[in-house]
């Protein structure tokens, strides 16, 4: 099962709760690329991590995949008792503002619910996800959406177009709580009303006027974020911005070949950066899918 990268196309911080969590108004989409998670029957539990970023994945109590497994066991007892081998292929950088652990946790919940044939409704699954992290419910949805509250109040965007993207990370991890703690203003204006986007260009035009309020504090900690964002703009992105609490930046391109070309150029210029050409998944069927249905 793919654990798609989460991209905060816009992220406005609108307040703070009494418990310290921040209130957000964020437009999120999910890429067609991500980590991969597999589950198989085994004689005992096992968790194996491979892939380019495997060495950065924490093993033990903080790992969100094994926490998701243990949470289902706690909640469903006998139905979730059978030992399971879990294999995570970690293709995305960790602590990088694109979901990472939350996407892996959401994939683990979905995969194990299927593997153990657990009978659970979507609302209960989302509540379980939220107990693992604020971004887990949106990663369970894995569709274009606006998330409010601390990220758990979801409004799906059934007509949001697919966007060709390039993701760039200067390979420096960032601590989410540290970025939030450096915010100068916590009561910022929400997203402006969403238009009826028909294509990449109209969506990009609206998104360009939005913000990521975490970008300024994140750049104070890791100044290379500005370099990554500017490099995307120089490579002809329609616009470029940081995702989540950073340090990954994304550029939106008008076509997929344009994104592929820009990614090749950026990787050549910055061989030590993580660079990925991808696209956000759209809930709107493509022409090919429509033709298949007819
Ligand atoms: O929920 P999660 O464990 O992913 O959040 C990590 C940290 O990010 C929290 O402990 C909190 O400091 C910060 N955070 C926040 N407001 C949010 C989401 C996360 O302040 N809406």
């Amino acid at each position: 099962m793919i654990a798609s990268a989460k991209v905060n196309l816009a992220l406005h911080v609108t307040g703070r709760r009494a418990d310290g969590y921040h209130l957000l108004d964020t437009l999120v989409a999910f890429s067609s690329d991500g980590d991969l998670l597999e589950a198989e029957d085994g004689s005992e539990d096992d968790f194996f991590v491979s892939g380019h970023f495997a060495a950065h994945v924490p093993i033990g109590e903080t790992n969100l995949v094994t926490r998701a497994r243990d949470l289902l066991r706690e909640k469903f007892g006998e139905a979730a008792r059978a030992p399971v081998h879990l294999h995570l292929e970690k293709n995305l950088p960790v602590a990088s503002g694109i979901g990472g652990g939350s996407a892996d946790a959401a994939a683990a919940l979905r995969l194990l619910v299927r593997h153990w044939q657990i009978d659970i409704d979507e609302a209960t699954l989302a509540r379980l996800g939220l107990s693992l992290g604020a971004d887990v419910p949106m990663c369970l949805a894995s569709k274009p959406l606006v998330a409010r509250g601390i990220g758990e109040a979801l409004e799906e965007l059934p007509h949001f177009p697919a966007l060709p993207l390039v993701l760039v990370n200067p390979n420096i991890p960032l601590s989410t709580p540290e970025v939030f703690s450096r915010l100068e203003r916590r009561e910022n204006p929400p997203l402006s009303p969403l238009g009826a986007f028909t294509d990449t260009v109209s969506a990009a035009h609206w998104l360009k006027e939005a913000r990521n309020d975490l970008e300024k504090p994140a750049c104070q900690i890791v100044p290379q974020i500005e370099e990554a964002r500017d490099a995307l703009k120089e490579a002809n992105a329609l616009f470029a911005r940081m995702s989540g609490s950073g340090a990954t930046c994304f550029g939106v391109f008008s076509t997929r070949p344009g994104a592929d070309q820009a990614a090749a150029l950026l990787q050549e210029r910055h061989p030590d950066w993580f660079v990925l050409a991808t696209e956000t998944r759209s809930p709107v069927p493509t022409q090919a899918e429509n033709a298949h249905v007819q």
Side-chain angles (χ1 to χ4, degrees):
M1 176 170 296
I2 186 163
S4 293
K6 168 216 71 161
V7 183
N8 297 90
L9 297 169
L11 191 162
H12 294 199
V13 177
T14 56
R16 182 143 75 150
R17 288 197 324 200
D19 65 1
Y21 266 83
H22 291 77
L23 297 171
L24 309 176
D25 196 3
T26 177
L27 197 155
V28 185
F30 292 83
S31 79
S32 51
D33 294 274
D35 299 334
L36 292 173
L37 188 68
E38 290 166 348
E40 258 176 33
D41 286 328
S43 52
E44 56 186 25
D45 280 338
D46 187 24
F47 178 47
F48 173 69
V49 187
S50 64
H52 191 76
F53 292 98
H56 303 267
V57 175
I59 303 292
E61 278 176 21
T62 55
N63 186 280
L64 284 167
V65 171
T66 46
R67 281 183 58 200
R69 176 198 66 198
D70 297 345
L71 186 65
L72 287 174
R73 285 236 169 91
E74 210 176 283
K75 177 102 181 139
F76 292 97
E78 215 33 58
R81 194 63 69 213
V84 62
H85 282 193
L86 289 165
H87 172 206
L88 176 68
E89 186 182 300
K90 191 73 196 165
N91 301 318
L92 301 173
V94 304
S96 72
I98 50 174
S102 309
D104 297 344
L109 288 174
R110 284 229 178 270
L111 192 62
L112 289 173
V113 159
R114 195 169 73 192
H115 183 79
W116 284 321
Q117 298 180 358
I118 293 172
D119 187 18
I120 184 171
D121 60 79
E122 284 295 311
T124 311
L125 194 60
R127 263 198 306 280
L128 279 186
L130 185 59
S131 73
L132 293 169
D135 285 350
V136 180
M138 66 177 86
C139 290
L140 279 166
S142 211
K143 290 177 183 154
L145 51 85
V146 172
R148 301 194 178 86
I150 64 163
E152 85 294 5
L154 309 181
E155 181 193 336
E156 291 185 7
L157 302 175
H159 304 293
F160 200 78
L163 304 178
L165 294 182
V166 175
L167 302 178
V168 168
N169 185 290
N171 268 327
I172 307 174
L174 253 179
S175 149
T176 301
E178 193 186 343
V179 174
F180 273 106
S181 73
R182 284 191 183 226
L183 271 170
E184 280 167 21
R185 275 182 66 91
R186 296 191 158 79
E187 279 87 33
N188 300 293
L191 295 173
S192 50
L194 264 72
F197 308 123
T198 47
D199 56 17
T200 303
V201 175
S202 64
H205 187 72
W206 182 91
L207 284 165
K208 208 172 166 176
E209 303 306 316
R211 314 178 302 273
N212 180 348
D213 289 326
L214 298 178
E215 204 164 300
K216 195 170 157 204
C219 287
Q220 286 167 359
I221 307 169
V222 176
Q224 291 89 333
I225 293 169
E226 278 177 55
E227 203 190 327
R229 197 187 52 204
D230 292 347
L232 283 161
K233 286 183 190 158
E234 279 163 29
N236 283 332
L238 294 171
F239 80 99
R241 176 168 295 148
M242 189 185 83
S243 175
S245 56
T248 306
C249 295
F250 63 92
V252 174
F253 289 79
S254 40
T255 64
R256 179 62 198 257
D260 289 337
Q261 218 174 1
L265 184 85
L266 286 163
Q267 191 71 86
E268 196 183 303
R269 281 191 194 154
H270 302 276
D272 53 332
W273 285 1
F274 166 81
V275 178
L276 178 71
T278 184
E279 59 209 11
T280 64
R281 287 194 278 122
S282 166
V284 184
T286 62
Q287 275 178 359
E289 281 162 347
N290 272 336
H292 183 71
V293 169
Q294 279 161 9

